[in-house]
Amino acid sequence: MKAAVNQKLTEMGERDRLKELLRAKLTECGWKDQMKAHCKEVIKQKGLEHVTVEDLVVEITPKGRALVPDSVKKELLHRIRAFLAQHTNNLEY
Amino acid sequence: LLTVKPDAVTTMSPAGCPHVNGFKVDNWKQNLRVIYQCFVWSGSAETRKRKAKSCICHMCGAHLNRLHSCLYCVYFACFAKKHIHEHAKSKRHNLAIDLLYGGIYCFMCQDYIYDKEMEQIAKEEQRKAWKMQGIGEKYSTWEPTKRELELLRHNPKRRRITSNCTIGLRGLINLGNTCFMNCIVQALTHTPLLRDFFLSDRHKCEMQSNSCLVCEMSQLFQEFYSGHRSPHIPFRLLHLVWTHARHLAGYEQQDAHEFLIAALDVLHRHCKDDNGKKANNPNHCNCIIDQIFTGGLQSDVTCQVCHGVSTTIDPFWDISLDLPGSSTPFWPLSPGGDGSALNGESHTTGATTLTDCLRRFTRPEHLGSSAKIKCSGCHSYQESTKQLTMKKLPIVACFHLKRFEHSAKLRRKITTYVSFPLELDMTPFMASRYSLFAVVNHQGTLESGHYTTFIRQHKDQWFKCDDAIITKASIKDVLDSEGYLLFYHKQFLEYE
């Protein structure tokens, strides 16, 4: 079902719009700055010469996921639900 | 899976990595564009549909897990489960693109690479796709030019802004009753948008002579934000003011409000040379002064006979408010009227509030029988009512409390206390929220007095600027003060 939902969202361009909404919300609430600061710490630890993007992804993903405010999650979910209600009559399961 | 990291790890640089050379052959640029358009940033409905269907991992069918596309063949695989890595190894295809963010991954370097040419293509394709979808421009962070990098290297000293630093604070020497000028300079140098304009060097001077006031203002900002703590001596500013606003010359005490208007006027005129000959019309100037300070005051005159309304809109830089206790009658509004409590002004013992003054300012006024105006509807002189409203509120609203009375009969200072709020909601007058950032006060009498300014600096710290002396102030100090000029800044800016 996830795949079908994803397909619909992508097709209608809603996925990109949601990404942008999420980006704006996460910047507004300071999440982006928090993550940036964390990245800097990781880079300091590992050393600028040796760190890779992968290192950063591994280090900050769990923290990033945990720190997304509930209000943002709620809003995104609400948007997705509203969209699906509007645009889908029958999803292939 | 892949071999252990090579000993010499390539340090990532904007020059990319040597392994892309294998890719950069034939019509590679167009091929890369197609990949971006179809699978990364799909602008059109058609490409989106294709993306939705085909972008799944060829190994496990997942559409998440950081899907990547091989750059050498049509193969999508997820990164998180290392499926794309397997493909890279077995086919010796060493480059892949992240379908979520468009980054290019090199399996030899084992990291994302930054190739200038490829980045350029990526930027262009993203902009194109976003434009098609109506998403708008992406905010891109500042990247220094070669010249800027050079400057930064030659000037290694850096200043750190901490929460308790005193950046932007500097006293001003009094050059002989010049506190009327000093207090306004304090308010202007702490006007957020004006500060941003000057500190980012936005003024390009086209005046031939050395007498550009905007240039001097720019210099002043440099002085204020230089970190020097000794008071600044504004002799050049004073000289320019005397040159351009003759009526303010001399060593007598002048009116701070008059200085504010004169200064804004000269700055506006000198700015106009800035943005060019296209700004012929004084009402359509787009200089920084107009952008920040200019509002529109609508005057509606209603004929009492035919009720026809004649409307004019005049630009304004400040709102002059009459006070109770002056010779012009002030009708106090009924206590508990919705205006006063709106802004949380202290209504202790029925003190007049700023909102009261604003409501009085915008009340309909009956123009008496001795002031009939010619009505175009009735084709004759009729009695009328006049009402002022704010058609357009500026980003910075300056309120001038008319404390100095200069009528034929008397000259005096009105010291009636008017309570003003920290945050001002202009809802009854316009839908907008403003916050206080500077208050100019006058102590003394009409004949001899002294001006000082309270300003809000940095993270909402308030300071009192008394010529060369800057001291910390509390919000209570500010709000309890008499108030002569009140400066409010719009809280949320809308882009036109």
Side-chain angles (χ1 to χ4, degrees):
Chain A
M1 155 127 158
K2 247 196 211 171
V5 170
N6 178 60
Q7 208 167 315
K8 199 79 200 181
L9 286 172
T10 311
E11 249 181 58
M12 309 283 296
E14 182 68 4
R15 190 152 197 265
D16 290 321
R17 282 189 286 273
L18 286 169
K19 252 170 63 182
E20 269 333 285
L21 176 66
L22 181 60
R23 194 190 306 252
K25 293 273 158 201
L26 289 176
T27 309
E28 258 174 46
C29 70
W31 180 93
K32 185 173 165 194
D33 292 324
Q34 274 181 299
M35 287 301 112
K36 222 170 161 185
H38 196 197
C39 283
K40 285 188 183 165
E41 275 170 38
V42 175
I43 294 172
K44 270 200 199 133
Q45 266 174 35
K46 304 243 170 184
L48 187 59
E49 307 292 304
H50 300 110
V51 73
T52 64
V53 175
E54 195 56 26
D55 290 333
L56 290 173
V57 171
V58 164
E59 286 284 342
I60 72 168
T61 300
K63 186 169 187 190
R65 287 222 166 98
L67 285 176
V68 176
D70 281 334
S71 55
V72 176
K73 287 184 189 165
K74 269 197 190 131
E75 183 162 357
L76 264 282
L77 199 56
H78 178 76
R79 271 284 286 261
I80 296 171
R81 282 212 178 101
F83 172 83
L84 290 176
Q86 233 188 340
H87 288 105
T88 56
N89 296 317
N90 37 20
L91 280 176
E92 288 129 37
Y93 279 68
Chain B
L1 286 153
L2 273 173
T3 52
V4 168
K5 257 186 227 181
D7 290 317
V9 175
T10 335
T11 315
M12 283 308 134
S13 77
C17 77
H19 311 114
V20 294
N21 295 330
F23 179 76
K24 287 188 177 182
V25 293
D26 303 330
N27 201 13
W28 73 271
K29 280 194 183 173
Q30 191 50 33
N31 292 340
L32 188 61
R33 279 190 196 279
V34 170
I35 295 178
Y36 274 112
Q37 286 165 15
C38 292
F39 305 117
V40 184
W41 293 303
S42 321
S44 70
E46 198 191 303
T47 51
R48 277 202 303 270
K49 206 158 186 172
R50 191 182 323 143
K51 174 175 175 168
K53 283 226 167 76
S54 56
C55 287
I56 52 171
C57 177
H58 285 197
M59 256 195 197
C60 68
H63 65 269
L64 298 165
N65 302 327
R66 291 168 65 197
L67 209 59
H68 279 60
S69 164
C70 175
L71 276 187
Y72 286 103
C73 70
V74 181
Y75 193 88
F76 304 114
C78 42
F79 193 96
K81 303 225 181 103
K82 303 262 188 240
H83 294 162
I84 191 78
H85 298 66
E86 288 184 36
H87 170 83
K89 185 175 181 197
S90 64
K91 291 289 173 101
R92 300 243 185 110
H93 290 174
N94 65 338
L95 294 174
I97 182 170
D98 177 350
L99 294 186
L100 204 56
Y101 296 108
I104 311 277
Y105 190 87
C106 172
F107 290 93
M108 302 293 285
C109 297
Q110 291 190 44
D111 200 0
Y112 287 90
I113 56 132
Y114 309 101
D115 182 277
K116 248 203 182 117
E117 288 182 298
M118 293 167 128
E119 296 249 302
Q120 185 58 31
I121 292 173
K123 256 193 206 139
E124 284 165 18
E125 291 308 316
Q126 181 178 54
R127 188 174 287 149
K128 266 197 253 171
W130 283 24
K131 205 167 182 191
M132 269 198 265
Q133 294 185 288
I135 289 183
E137 288 286 328
K138 176 177 186 172
Y139 169 75
S140 54
T141 48
W142 168 73
E143 273 174 37
T145 60
K146 259 201 192 127
R147 171 87 181 115
E148 282 164 344
L149 280 170
E150 219 180 280
L151 283 170
L152 285 168
R153 248 172 268 148
H154 286 163
N155 296 284
K157 184 172 177 200
R158 302 277 178 266
R159 197 175 305 134
R160 200 138 186 231
I161 314 265
T162 55
S163 51
N164 60 352
C165 75
T166 54
I167 192 84
L169 285 178
R170 204 157 173 204
L172 287 164
I173 297 286
N174 188 318
L175 296 166
N177 276 328
T178 59
C179 58
F180 72 92
M181 178 180 79
N182 288 352
C183 70
I184 296 298
V185 171
Q186 292 290 358
L188 291 178
T189 50
H190 289 89
T191 302
L193 276 184
L194 200 60
R195 175 203 62 205
D196 292 349
F197 176 83
F198 281 109
L199 288 183
S200 49
D201 254 340
R202 299 265 297 278
H203 170 59
K204 306 279 181 256
C205 196
E206 292 190 16
M207 271 179 83
Q208 307 294 6
S209 61
N210 269 357
S211 63
C212 174
L213 189 63
V214 190
C215 283
E216 181 54 32
M217 204 70 217
S218 191
Q219 250 320 102
L220 258 172
F221 273 93
Q222 292 297 319
E223 293 286 346
F224 268 69
Y225 288 86
S226 62
H228 292 135
R229 295 168 73 96
S230 58
H232 173 66
I233 310 172
F235 63 90
R236 233 189 354 248
L237 177 68
L238 189 63
H239 176 72
L240 280 176
V241 167
W242 284 356
T243 310
H244 293 293
R246 289 273 152 72
H247 61 288
L248 291 172
Y251 281 108
E252 286 169 19
Q253 178 68 277
Q254 306 285 352
D255 185 333
H257 174 245
E258 274 202 55
F259 175 76
L260 171 67
I261 299 302
L264 289 178
D265 183 51
V266 177
L267 286 169
H268 161 73
R269 276 190 276 128
H270 289 186
C271 269
K272 270 209 304 186
D273 293 340
D274 230 354
N275 57 133
K277 331 295 166 178
K278 43 188 167 168
N280 287 326
N281 186 342
N283 289 334
H284 290 289
C285 176
N286 205 23
C287 69
I288 190 69
I289 301 297
D290 272 334
Q291 283 178 49
I292 297 177
F293 293 98
T294 304
L297 192 62
Q298 181 164 320
S299 169
D300 294 311
V301 178
T302 311
C303 171
Q304 289 303 88
V305 175
C306 70
H307 298 293
V309 184
S310 155
T311 304
T312 51
I313 300 174
D314 289 309
F316 71 84
W317 277 331
D318 68 318
I319 300 284
S320 289
L321 302 169
D322 286 310
L323 298 179
S326 69
S327 50
T328 49
F330 185 97
W331 297 290
L333 298 153
S334 50
D338 56 270
S340 320
L342 183 73
N343 283 307
E345 290 148 317
S346 67
H347 223 182
T348 50
T349 64
T352 315
T353 65
L354 178 62
T355 313
D356 288 335
C357 295
L358 284 168
R359 287 181 69 195
R360 185 186 172 279
F361 183 75
T362 55
R363 89 224 175 282
E365 187 187 349
H366 202 89
L367 302 174
S369 50
S370 53
K372 285 187 184 165
I373 51 124
K374 182 142 191 219
C375 173
S376 52
C378 302
H379 301 293
S380 57
Y381 284 87
Q382 303 292 353
E383 286 191 27
S384 56
T385 55
K386 178 173 113 169
Q387 182 167 28
L388 297 172
T389 49
M390 319 266 190
K391 171 76 179 173
K392 177 194 169 213
L393 275 174
I395 294 175
V396 170
C398 173
F399 300 109
H400 169 224
L401 305 179
K402 290 158 79 174
R403 293 192 176 283
F404 301 139
E405 181 134 26
H406 295 282
S407 64
K409 295 184 196 162
L410 28 78
R411 296 182 69 223
R412 62 179 172 134
K413 179 179 173 190
I414 300 165
T415 56
T416 314
Y417 175 70
V418 176
S419 111
F420 50 90
L422 207 49
E423 308 248 314
L424 182 64
D425 190 344
M426 298 288 279
T427 308
F429 319 104
M430 203 83 169
S432 229
R433 192 113 174 250
Y434 282 71
S435 66
L436 188 68
F437 70 91
V439 179
V440 171
N441 280 299
H442 179 267
Q443 293 130 268
T445 63
L446 205 67
E447 287 76 35
S448 89
H450 181 57
Y451 286 104
T452 56
T453 310
F454 283 114
I455 48 106
R456 191 184 78 205
Q457 174 259 12
H458 196 37
K459 299 213 179 248
D460 295 337
Q461 304 294 308
W462 285 88
F463 289 86
K464 180 176 182 179
C465 303
D466 183 344
D467 284 329
I469 303 165
I470 314 258
T471 46
K472 186 97 179 58
S474 70
I475 291 181
K476 189 172 188 307
D477 291 335
V478 179
L479 297 181
D480 282 350
S481 69
E482 195 177 74
Y484 175 55
L485 297 173
L486 311 172
F487 290 83
Y488 285 87
H489 198 292
K490 218 182 219 181
Q491 281 215 318
F492 301 110
L493 303 174
E494 306 94 34
Y495 292 96
E496 269 149 49

